[in-house]
Amino acid sequence: MLNAIIYLSQTGSAERYARMLSDALQIPAYSIQDSPSVEGKVLYVAWALQQKTVGLKKAMRKYDVAGVVQVGMSPIFPDSIEKGRERNHIPDGCAFFQVQGGYDEEKLSGIYKKSMKIAGQGIVARIEELGKERELSNQELAMHDMFVNGKGDPASWDISEIVSYFSE
């Protein structure tokens, strides 16, 4: 059983997921930046940077993390979870989920803003090339639109798999 949700958010998506999960699971959600003292198991929700869950090492040291929700812009592919577990060194017995989050370029600063602008140009071009070969998924279309518009929402804000896992 979870006692709380701890989150770290850059542009608001991880916080939105944390609040949605808090409501659904009826447990409190706290920003890790507030350094809350929490007893028992927690769910850690944070944004992804180069496929790594930001702040995860610190959260693992401070809390009894029973699950991790990685929030990124990328579409979730069949091998994403396995690769994410490996890249983030998620231990056995700790649940790991990936969800697509939104994007808001205006909430970024410094190097993050600059690097996302550069990366976005290449990603938009790759997605448009893929669209010539096959039908794009809703998540691919959402990612494309986020980079083109400088902001946007994911294909869906779906937490059902996470809620189901922690409700059993």
Side-chain angles (χ1 to χ4, degrees):
M1 179 170 148
L2 294 174
N3 291 20
I5 296 166
I6 304 295
Y7 67 89
L8 177 63
S9 193
Q10 178 72 13
T11 64
S13 292
E15 180 177 6
R16 181 169 174 177
Y17 274 112
R19 300 263 177 236
M20 290 168 60
L21 288 162
S22 172
D23 289 344
L25 297 170
Q26 299 181 346
I27 56 175
Y30 306 102
S31 169
I32 197 168
Q33 294 166 324
D34 295 334
S35 294
S37 177
V38 176
E39 296 289 325
K41 297 193 178 297
V42 303
L43 177 62
Y44 183 65
V45 181
W47 59 289
L49 176 64
Q50 297 177 346
Q51 301 171 344
K52 293 199 81 169
T53 308
V54 177
L56 181 58
K57 285 182 184 178
K58 178 181 178 182
M60 292 287 225
R61 282 192 306 270
K62 185 169 181 171
Y63 303 104
D64 183 4
V65 177
V68 176
V69 179
Q70 183 183 68
V71 183
M73 290 176 62
S74 296
I76 312 304
F77 296 106
D79 63 346
S80 294
I81 297 294
E82 183 180 327
K83 286 181 178 179
R85 285 189 77 83
E86 289 173 15
R87 180 128 174 115
N88 288 280
H89 308 288
I90 304 294
D92 291 339
C94 182
F96 182 69
F97 304 91
Q98 291 175 323
V99 293
Q100 187 180 39
Y103 179 63
D104 188 344
E105 186 179 278
E106 293 304 312
K107 292 183 179 178
L108 297 176
S109 60
I111 190 74
Y112 295 127
K113 191 172 201 168
K114 192 174 196 173
S115 64
M116 289 300 282
K117 266 195 173 304
I118 293 167
Q121 293 168 351
I123 291 168
V124 166
R126 280 194 301 274
I127 292 173
E128 288 174 354
E129 283 301 312
L130 273 177
K132 293 175 185 174
E133 300 170 15
R134 64 170 171 77
E135 186 173 337
L136 297 172
S137 71
N138 288 339
Q139 288 186 341
E140 289 168 324
L141 291 168
M143 185 178 187
H144 175 273
D145 291 350
M146 284 185 245
F147 276 118
V148 168
N149 300 321
K151 66 186 330 183
D153 286 329
S156 71
W157 294 95
D158 185 11
I159 60 169
S160 59
E161 180 184 1
I162 305 163
V163 171
S164 176
Y165 181 89
F166 286 108
S167 295
E168 294 176 353

